[in-house]
Amino acid sequence: ASARGPARADARRSAARRTRFAHRVRASAEPATELVPLEERLAIALKEDTSLPPNPNPLPPPPLPDLKDLAEMAFLEVSEEELREWTPKVHGVLRWMGALNEVDLASAEASVELYRDSWRMPLRPDEVVDFAARADMYAECKTWEKPYVKVPKVDKKEAAAEAEGAGAVAAPAMESADGESAAAPSEDVLGMSLLVGKVLSVRKHPDAEKLYIEEVDCAEEGGPRTICSGLVPYMSASSIEGRNVVVVANLKPRNMAGVSSAGMLLCANDGGEGDERTVQLLTAPEGAVAGERLTWGTFANVEPHGANKVAKKKLWEKTQPDLIVNERNEATWKGIVLTSSAGPVTCASLKGGGIS
């Protein structure tokens, strides 16, 4: 009976300690409102009154190291300020690990909860940071048209044939207007007929509210071309008339609400949606001659593709996704500037936009 009395007393004291400890654990588990310094967390962990059994054979802890000596051994350069900041933190971690040496871990109860088990690092609120180089990123992406990246449709057989050709022959390169190496245009690109056209007149289409009908002089034997453009939501007729525009001249004529359209006027856009997008004409300088064929940098054009070939092989659909305006508002294909006899083709103000 006398032996059971002390055992019960020990059990009551142990239960009381665990109850006090449980209260502290619950209190410490409350959400933190600010970051708790490492030294403070270590001090709390070291002062815990737990019922963990003592280690019967503890090892004497080694002396705390000098961080300056450790840094020299590791060939690290550490400032005096860094030494003052990190020494108490490292020493605190080592003291805590030394305290573990005083515990008989083999006999410890897994059910005991410690302060350090329930402490969680409070996270700071997310901060939205604007990407300063966004415009540069858009300019680098040749197929970017906000808010999407355009992926051209390519026939699988044609893609396989092009891949074989690319593997067999390496294309020559030139320096782009931005000073970077640019691949030479393929014959598919060099065979597209891009002409300077002088807009003689502009009127609204009688049966399509978003279409203009333009008469464009490209100095051809058959006289001015009639071209329909869906530019009514984006610009006035007076801002088009009299301009030196860029005409894609070897497309098959299209019937647009009863009017045959013989070509396309090229424009730059900011990639916006619907009528909210910004659209600007691509124009050649005043000194450019109506009817002259534009070139890509210093590369010589090849014989223009026939309209049937352009349609069948989708040559314009393959060329158009790589057309953008650069940071100087110049029309480019993979960095190579579209050029007239009087200088580069440009838009009014857009940078990094697509061309269509």
Side-chain angles (χ1 to χ4, degrees):
S2 61
R4 287 197 297 270
R8 289 175 180 171
D10 289 341
R12 285 195 297 271
R13 283 194 295 272
S14 179
R17 285 198 300 272
R18 292 187 180 182
T19 300
R20 291 197 303 273
F21 176 67
H23 286 307
R24 287 201 306 279
V25 168
R26 283 194 293 271
S28 65
E30 293 296 324
T33 56
E34 60 181 357
L35 292 177
V36 180
L38 176 63
E39 296 88 342
E40 185 176 334
R41 301 205 308 273
L42 289 169
I44 294 172
L46 287 170
K47 291 179 180 177
E48 286 178 349
D49 178 17
T50 70
S51 57
L52 295 176
N55 187 352
N57 300 301
L59 298 174
L64 295 173
D66 186 333
L67 261 61
K68 187 174 183 179
D69 293 339
L70 292 179
E72 290 178 356
M73 291 172 60
F75 299 101
L76 297 175
E77 292 186 5
V78 182
S79 68
E80 292 298 327
E81 182 180 354
E82 289 171 325
L83 287 173
R84 287 193 297 273
E85 178 183 357
W86 282 98
T87 294
K89 296 179 180 179
V90 174
H91 286 181
V93 171
L94 294 176
R95 289 192 190 97
W96 181 80
M97 295 177 68
L100 290 179
N101 178 52
E102 300 174 5
V103 175
D104 185 4
L105 296 178
S107 304
E109 297 179 16
S111 61
V112 174
E113 185 178 9
L114 302 179
Y115 165 85
R116 51 191 169 274
D117 292 330
S118 50
W119 188 88
R120 295 292 181 268
M121 174 71 77
L123 301 178
R124 63 172 173 78
D126 289 339
E127 296 178 4
V128 179
V129 179
D130 189 35
F131 182 45
R134 190 182 308 244
D136 296 334
M137 180 182 71
Y138 291 159
E140 288 296 321
C141 182
K142 309 302 182 185
T143 57
W144 172 261
E145 283 196 11
K146 290 189 293 187
Y148 307 109
V149 174
K150 293 185 65 177
V151 179
K153 296 179 180 179
V154 180
D155 182 86
K156 291 183 178 179
K157 292 182 180 179
E158 292 179 1
E162 288 180 0
E164 290 180 5
V169 181
M174 70 165 288
E175 191 174 273
S176 71
D178 297 323
E180 299 178 355
S181 179
S186 66
E187 288 197 1
D188 289 349
V189 176
L190 295 173
M192 292 304 304
S193 181
L194 305 180
L195 305 180
V196 175
K198 186 80 168 182
V199 180
L200 303 178
S201 66
V202 183
R203 67 183 188 278
K204 284 190 175 181
H205 195 298
D207 300 318
E209 62 179 12
K210 293 188 177 183
L211 293 181
Y212 283 128
I213 301 174
E214 302 106 359
E215 299 297 323
V216 184
D217 179 17
C218 293
E220 295 168 304
E221 291 183 3
R225 290 176 177 244
T226 299
I227 297 176
C228 295
S229 303
L231 299 176
V232 172
Y234 309 113
M235 58 190 74
S236 65
S238 60
S239 66
I240 302 173
E241 191 169 323
R243 306 293 297 278
N244 284 339
V245 296
V246 178
V247 176
V248 185
N250 53 347
L251 302 177
K252 291 183 73 172
R254 293 178 58 193
N255 187 306
M256 302 186 73
V259 176
S260 180
S261 178
M264 176 195 299
L265 303 190
L266 286 186
C267 296
N269 67 82
D270 67 350
E273 291 296 310
D275 294 350
E276 299 303 316
R277 65 164 44 185
T278 299
V279 177
Q280 297 177 353
L281 278 175
L282 290 184
T283 59
E286 283 300 320
V289 180
E292 73 168 280
R293 190 174 172 195
L294 301 167
T295 60
W296 295 108
T298 58
F299 291 98
N301 286 318
V302 299
E303 188 70 20
H305 304 307
N308 288 333
K309 178 181 177 180
V310 171
K312 183 178 180 180
K313 294 197 172 185
K314 301 183 184 299
L315 299 183
W316 175 244
E317 287 81 357
K318 294 177 183 179
T319 300
Q320 185 270 329
D322 291 317
L323 303 179
I324 66 166
V325 286
N326 63 19
E327 292 301 301
R328 292 181 292 278
N329 317 119
E330 299 166 335
T332 69
W333 177 89
K334 293 188 175 181
I336 303 172
V337 177
L338 185 61
T339 307
S340 72
S341 60
V345 169
T346 61
C347 67
S349 62
L350 288 177
K351 304 177 189 295
I355 294 174
S356 57

